[in-house]
Amino acid sequence: MKTRDKIIQASIALFNEQGERNVTTNHIAAHLGISPGNLYYHFRNKEDIILSIYDEYARNLLLETFPKASDDVKPLDAIILYMDAVFQAMMKFRFFYSNLPVLLAKNPLLREKYVEVQTFIADRVSNMMESLRTADMIRFEDDELADLVSILRIVNTFWLSFYQTQNMDNEIKESVFFEGVLKIIAILRPYATEAALPDFIKARDMYKQRFEDSLVAA
Amino acid sequence: MKTRDKIIQASIALFNEQGERNVTTNHIAAHLGISPGNLYYHFRNKEDIILSIYDEYARNLLLETFPKASDDVKPLDAIILYMDAVFQAMMKFRFFYSNLPVLLAKNPLLREKYVEVQTFIADRVSNMMESLRTADMIRFEDDELADLVSILRIVNTFWLSFYQTQNMDNEIKESVFFEGVLKIIAILRPYATEAALPDFIKARDMYKQRFEDSLVAA
């Protein structure tokens, strides 16, 4: 692995473990056994490292996790698989999401890239809702779509933060993703058509089972 | 005002304006024209100030904003007025919410108090949903209640953070509260009974109007 990549990988690990705020560029260099000067040859400062983490890793992951439309993937499965994948991607960069407004306020270029990705994601989630409606699985008025998409995205973006702030124990285990997906299904369920309700219940029961299995396994 | 209170009020203002992370106890003392020693006489460190801000101000505000049950306040108005009041309370302590998981991770006593308040709020929101159901305004299965309450609370807690991370302009104006309340109404709307739907549409249109008026006024 090249030094630049080593710095990025070590930073992700240290930020997640110790909190981005508690980790300096000197900590990162010491952790890798390189000189601070060597680190500064690759990155100007910590903000520059965070920008690269988002731009080169998190961003691509978020854009690539969109399931391709196909005859094999049903629209309900598409949205569930997508949300599941996003929760897992967020877990890899959890330091980023637990600190989001603060990190973006400090770094206008990061904000620009983040806002660009968010606009793209909003469009895709909106298209998924339209597909579900076209498949007669959910029903909503046109004037409800924008709010529905926002609500899905708020829960998706802040579920891990919410979870971490509801208990004295804030460790994130695999079970937390499954709970997150269950919240997404719960948002959609009241929109379900009568014909599609069994599919929603089935999806919910499947994730409930995964949730319970992951608790036993932990 | 006593010195202790002056320190708290100045800290709230500085944290909100400049971000809690960028404000030290020395900044707070200099801003008030007092010596750091005088500040340390009242508070051990910055975490201690934040704990007092939450415990003496934010906490009471969150617990007091609950509309009292009465014959005059309809259940739908009760939940809307409550969410509106909470958004406004959060605005006063916005530094706290834009940094929530990080601040709680640093301060176990703060986490303890926060979790206690959250448990209380979850119960009250749950009771409000039961009242709406008893009044035949919304319908849900018993097994849907916990998720519905979580979704309302996630959107309530993180709406300001979400708003701040969706645009290049992250200034919070009055219009943002009204948008937040509109999201709460949007979460409840698909649960509305046919008889109550006009009430939901009316509440939505009222907040849409407030939202538009606040944009013109700004």
Side-chain angles (χ1 to χ4, degrees):
Chain A
M1 216 183 344
K2 289 189 177 159
T3 305
R4 187 189 150 80
D5 253 352
K6 277 189 195 160
I7 294 170
I8 285 193
Q9 299 307 327
S11 300
I12 293 172
L14 292 172
F15 291 160
N16 280 338
E17 276 163 31
Q18 295 170 30
E20 171 271 331
R21 187 168 171 161
N22 304 317
V23 176
T24 64
T25 47
N26 282 346
H27 291 141
I28 299 164
H31 180 84
L32 288 169
I34 63 174
S35 69
N38 194 348
L39 186 145
Y40 286 121
Y41 173 78
H42 295 281
F43 298 99
R44 273 173 303 134
N45 50 35
K46 194 164 75 166
E47 275 62 53
D48 197 19
I49 299 178
I50 295 170
L51 181 67
S52 296
I53 290 174
Y54 186 72
D55 198 34
E56 297 169 30
Y57 291 80
R59 191 167 178 262
N60 288 333
L61 204 53
L62 285 172
L63 298 181
E64 280 167 14
T65 50
F66 276 99
K68 305 280 176 290
S70 84
D71 294 343
D72 297 337
V73 181
K74 289 183 190 173
L76 181 60
D77 294 338
I79 181 91
I80 289 174
L81 289 173
Y82 165 62
M83 291 291 180
D84 194 334
V86 170
F87 282 125
Q88 309 227 18
M90 290 176 66
M91 175 68 185
K92 291 208 181 87
F93 306 100
R94 58 192 177 280
F95 77 88
F96 185 76
Y97 294 95
S98 61
N99 220 356
L100 195 55
V102 173
L103 290 181
L104 299 190
K106 283 179 77 167
N107 195 331
L109 195 54
L110 181 62
R111 175 181 291 275
E112 202 174 296
K113 286 172 188 290
Y114 183 80
V115 168
E116 187 193 311
V117 173
Q118 290 303 303
T119 308
F120 179 83
I121 290 179
D123 282 349
R124 299 291 289 263
V125 173
S126 189
N127 289 343
M128 286 182 178
M129 292 303 110
E130 301 264 26
S131 306
L132 275 177
R133 183 165 68 172
T134 305
D136 203 32
M137 297 198 63
I138 62 175
R139 243 170 238 153
F140 56 82
E141 304 292 324
D142 287 338
D143 69 359
E144 291 180 285
L145 179 58
D147 278 337
L148 173 57
V149 170
S150 291
I151 292 159
L152 287 166
R153 291 173 57 229
I154 294 171
V155 172
N156 195 220
T157 308
F158 292 102
W159 164 246
L160 290 183
S161 293
F162 183 72
Y163 178 85
Q164 286 182 293
T165 57
Q166 293 304 304
N167 309 289
M168 285 310 289
D169 168 24
N170 66 337
E171 200 198 325
I172 296 184
K173 309 157 209 107
E174 206 195 3
S175 61
V176 182
F177 307 130
F178 299 133
E179 274 191 275
V181 174
L182 284 166
K183 296 286 171 288
I184 299 297
I185 296 171
I187 294 169
L188 294 175
R189 176 172 160 181
Y191 294 92
T193 60
E194 211 179 318
L197 191 59
D199 287 338
F200 281 87
I201 304 287
K202 202 175 135 191
R204 185 201 59 182
D205 290 346
M206 193 175 81
Y207 272 87
K208 265 196 178 163
Q209 191 60 52
R210 286 190 188 174
F211 170 69
E212 278 154 27
D213 291 348
S214 68
L215 287 182
V216 174
Chain B
M1 216 183 345
K2 289 188 177 160
T3 305
R4 188 190 148 80
D5 253 352
K6 277 189 196 160
I7 294 169
I8 286 193
Q9 298 309 326
S11 300
I12 294 172
L14 292 172
F15 291 161
N16 280 337
E17 276 162 33
Q18 295 170 29
E20 170 271 331
R21 187 169 171 161
N22 303 316
V23 176
T24 64
T25 48
N26 281 347
H27 290 140
I28 299 165
H31 179 84
L32 288 169
I34 64 174
S35 69
N38 194 349
L39 186 145
Y40 286 120
Y41 173 77
H42 295 281
F43 298 98
R44 274 172 304 134
N45 50 36
K46 193 164 75 166
E47 274 62 53
D48 197 18
I49 300 178
I50 295 170
L51 182 66
S52 297
I53 290 174
Y54 186 73
D55 198 33
E56 297 170 29
Y57 292 80
R59 192 167 177 263
N60 288 333
L61 204 54
L62 285 172
L63 298 181
E64 280 167 14
T65 50
F66 275 100
K68 305 278 176 293
S70 84
D71 294 344
D72 297 337
V73 181
K74 289 183 190 172
L76 181 59
D77 294 338
I79 181 91
I80 289 175
L81 289 173
Y82 164 62
M83 291 291 180
D84 194 334
V86 171
F87 282 126
Q88 309 227 17
M90 291 176 66
M91 176 67 185
K92 290 207 181 87
F93 306 100
R94 57 192 178 281
F95 78 88
F96 185 76
Y97 294 94
S98 61
N99 220 357
L100 197 54
V102 173
L103 290 182
L104 299 190
K106 284 179 77 168
N107 195 332
L109 195 54
L110 180 62
R111 175 181 290 275
E112 202 173 296
K113 286 172 188 289
Y114 183 81
V115 168
E116 187 192 311
V117 172
Q118 290 304 302
T119 308
F120 179 83
I121 290 180
D123 283 349
R124 299 291 287 264
V125 173
S126 188
N127 289 343
M128 286 182 178
M129 291 303 109
E130 301 265 27
S131 306
L132 274 177
R133 183 165 69 170
T134 305
D136 203 32
M137 297 199 64
I138 62 176
R139 244 170 238 153
F140 55 83
E141 303 294 322
D142 286 339
D143 69 359
E144 291 180 285
L145 180 58
D147 278 336
L148 174 57
V149 169
S150 291
I151 291 159
L152 287 166
R153 290 173 57 231
I154 294 170
V155 172
N156 195 220
T157 308
F158 292 102
W159 163 246
L160 290 183
S161 292
F162 183 72
Y163 177 85
Q164 287 183 292
T165 57
Q166 292 304 304
N167 309 287
M168 286 309 291
D169 168 24
N170 67 337
E171 200 198 325
I172 295 183
K173 310 158 210 107
E174 205 194 4
S175 61
V176 182
F177 307 129
F178 299 133
E179 273 191 276
V181 174
L182 284 165
K183 296 286 170 288
I184 298 298
I185 297 171
I187 294 170
L188 294 175
R189 177 174 159 180
Y191 294 92
T193 60
E194 210 179 319
L197 191 58
D199 287 338
F200 280 87
I201 303 286
K202 201 175 135 191
R204 185 201 60 182
D205 290 347
M206 193 175 81
Y207 271 88
K208 266 196 178 164
Q209 191 59 53
R210 285 189 190 175
F211 170 68
E212 278 155 27
D213 291 348
S214 68
L215 288 183
V216 174

